[in-house]
Amino acid sequence: MTNLLTLEDIKVHFPVKGKLFAPTEVVHAVDGVSLSLKKGETLGIVGESGCGKTTTGLAAMKLIEKTHGTITFDGVDLDRLAADEMRQTRQKMQMIFQDPFSSLNPRMTVNRAIGEPMKVHGMGNDSERADRVAWLLKKVGLSPEQGNRYPHEFSGGQRQRIGIARALALNPMMIIGDEPVSALDVSIQAQIINLLIDIQHEFNLSYIIISHDLAVVEHICDRIAVMYLGKVVEEGPCHEVYTNPQHPYTKALLSAIPHPDPTRRRHRTILSGDVPSPIHPPSGCSFHPRCPRKFEACDQVTPELTVMGSAHQVACHLYR
């Protein structure tokens, strides 16, 4: 399969103004991420809060400007597109946000919220757009009659279905889900995940699912990228990463997943210390201050991603 999206050495740095006369510091939110997404594939990006996974997704959509690197979508370098060309390309890439309530305009009916993107991009006339909105509502498990209601009249799960319908309105090729089920009850999470899987097959979509819930990612994703402090520390096929994790950070994350059988207990890896500041990231491997297996080279040399076989990569000096 050909790549639909390719990120090459993406960096996103935010300047932070200090006290009066103090030098401006820089937050290294994303610090050299390279990832690819194939057509029809689902890529999961996981990590602790503040690791840069959401910023990576926003940079891929060009909703925030990257500091360095190249983003290629459907064979086109996005930096080379003029404003009107980028506007057309945005039809092919959409986003589902974490909070389904704040992502919807409370003053717009559901019909208008879903139909607005089509109107902005000049798709069809009023009647055709109304027919498509009704069709999309059915696809996500709602009735067309509910289209005249406002967001506050729906439950959290129903609002997320509306968000999914809005993302589908422009016939996208790729959807980025930023924690798409974390704000929902567990029972509703399963329904939304199954809905995402169904519409992926029907619409031939590619997904990037950003999440801190590794159980969700395991269920829906083909490949997984584990991020820590703005860098990818492990990446590979989902089943292989879950059954044979290599990086100490990945092992610690997986050990925290609850097991459904109460008679079986996981060996829990407890990490010491806190996540370092992205303003002053550690030298060498960014994980070394918390790593239980660190040695001399870890705080001196930054490890590169090394192929471990079957497209499984890990950035760790243990595998040099």
Side-chain angles (χ1 to χ4, degrees):
M1 291 188 293
T2 58
N3 288 341
L4 177 63
L5 176 72
T6 304
L7 308 180
E8 296 182 12
D9 195 25
I10 297 300
K11 297 181 182 179
V12 182
H13 297 167
F14 299 110
V16 177
K17 186 67 176 176
K19 297 180 180 179
L20 188 64
F21 303 122
T24 300
E25 296 182 305
V26 174
V27 176
H28 299 77
V30 179
D31 206 17
V33 168
S34 295
L35 290 170
S36 63
L37 176 69
K38 295 180 172 59
K39 292 183 178 180
E41 183 183 41
T42 301
L43 170 68
I45 302 179
V46 302
E48 292 174 285
S49 296
C51 72
K53 53 188 186 294
T54 294
T55 307
T56 300
L58 293 174
M61 295 276 294
K62 284 189 73 69
L63 294 177
I64 59 173
E65 284 300 320
K66 58 184 173 50
T67 307
H68 178 270
T70 304
I71 302 172
T72 305
F73 181 80
D74 199 21
V76 178
D77 185 345
L78 296 186
D79 286 335
R80 297 183 179 181
L81 296 179
D84 58 335
E85 293 174 321
M86 187 63 218
R87 187 169 177 270
Q88 294 176 5
T89 301
R90 287 198 184 281
Q91 296 185 44
K92 303 177 183 178
M93 49 172 69
Q94 294 293 307
M95 200 157 189
I96 301 171
F97 296 94
Q98 178 176 358
D99 186 350
F101 187 68
S102 62
S103 65
L104 295 171
N105 189 331
R107 298 187 178 184
M108 281 188 178
T109 63
V110 168
N111 281 338
R112 187 180 169 193
I114 299 174
E116 191 75 4
M118 293 185 278
K119 184 177 180 180
V120 169
H121 287 274
M123 290 180 60
N125 56 38
D126 289 344
S127 176
E128 290 169 339
R129 287 194 292 267
D131 289 342
R132 180 163 176 79
V133 169
W135 181 76
L136 286 170
L137 286 172
K138 289 181 180 179
K139 285 293 178 184
V140 298
L142 299 174
S143 67
E145 291 75 21
Q146 293 174 295
N148 294 318
R149 300 180 186 175
Y150 289 87
H152 71 271
E153 300 180 73
F154 294 89
S155 67
Q158 288 174 322
R159 291 184 198 126
Q160 197 61 293
R161 291 175 187 271
I162 296 167
I164 293 170
R166 184 179 56 182
L168 293 172
L170 297 177
N171 290 317
M173 300 173 67
M174 177 187 75
I175 292 179
I176 297 179
D178 183 13
E179 302 274 10
V181 297
S182 65
L184 307 177
D185 293 338
V186 175
S187 59
I188 306 301
Q189 286 183 10
Q191 296 177 21
I192 298 300
I193 290 170
N194 290 333
L195 173 62
L196 289 171
I197 293 172
D198 291 340
I199 64 174
Q200 180 180 31
H201 295 152
E202 182 171 351
F203 290 85
N204 193 27
L205 295 168
S206 301
Y207 284 154
I208 294 178
I209 302 297
I210 298 167
S211 180
H212 66 273
D213 190 333
L214 277 78
V216 169
V217 171
E218 182 182 20
H219 183 71
I220 195 173
C221 294
D222 302 306
R223 285 190 304 120
I224 181 174
V226 182
M227 288 188 65
Y228 184 81
L229 210 63
K231 299 178 184 290
V232 175
V233 297
E234 187 162 359
E235 189 256 325
C238 195
H239 177 73
E240 188 169 335
V241 171
Y242 272 79
T243 57
N244 187 30
Q246 300 295 313
H247 199 280
Y249 179 62
T250 309
K251 294 179 180 179
L253 288 180
L254 292 174
S255 73
I257 300 176
H259 200 284
D261 185 352
T263 63
R264 295 180 58 184
R265 292 188 177 181
R266 295 181 186 269
H267 175 69
R268 182 74 190 275
T269 301
I270 306 295
L271 298 177
S272 61
D274 297 320
V275 179
S277 169
I279 298 178
H280 302 291
S283 61
C285 174
S286 57
F287 185 62
H288 86 263
R290 306 175 70 194
C291 183
R293 302 186 63 185
K294 64 183 178 183
F295 54 98
E296 185 177 353
C298 296
D299 62 352
Q300 300 173 4
V301 182
T302 301
E304 301 292 332
L305 282 169
T306 302
V307 178
M308 302 297 294
S310 185
H312 191 170
Q313 302 180 85
V314 60
C316 183
H317 290 302
L318 293 170
Y319 307 100
R320 292 177 60 187

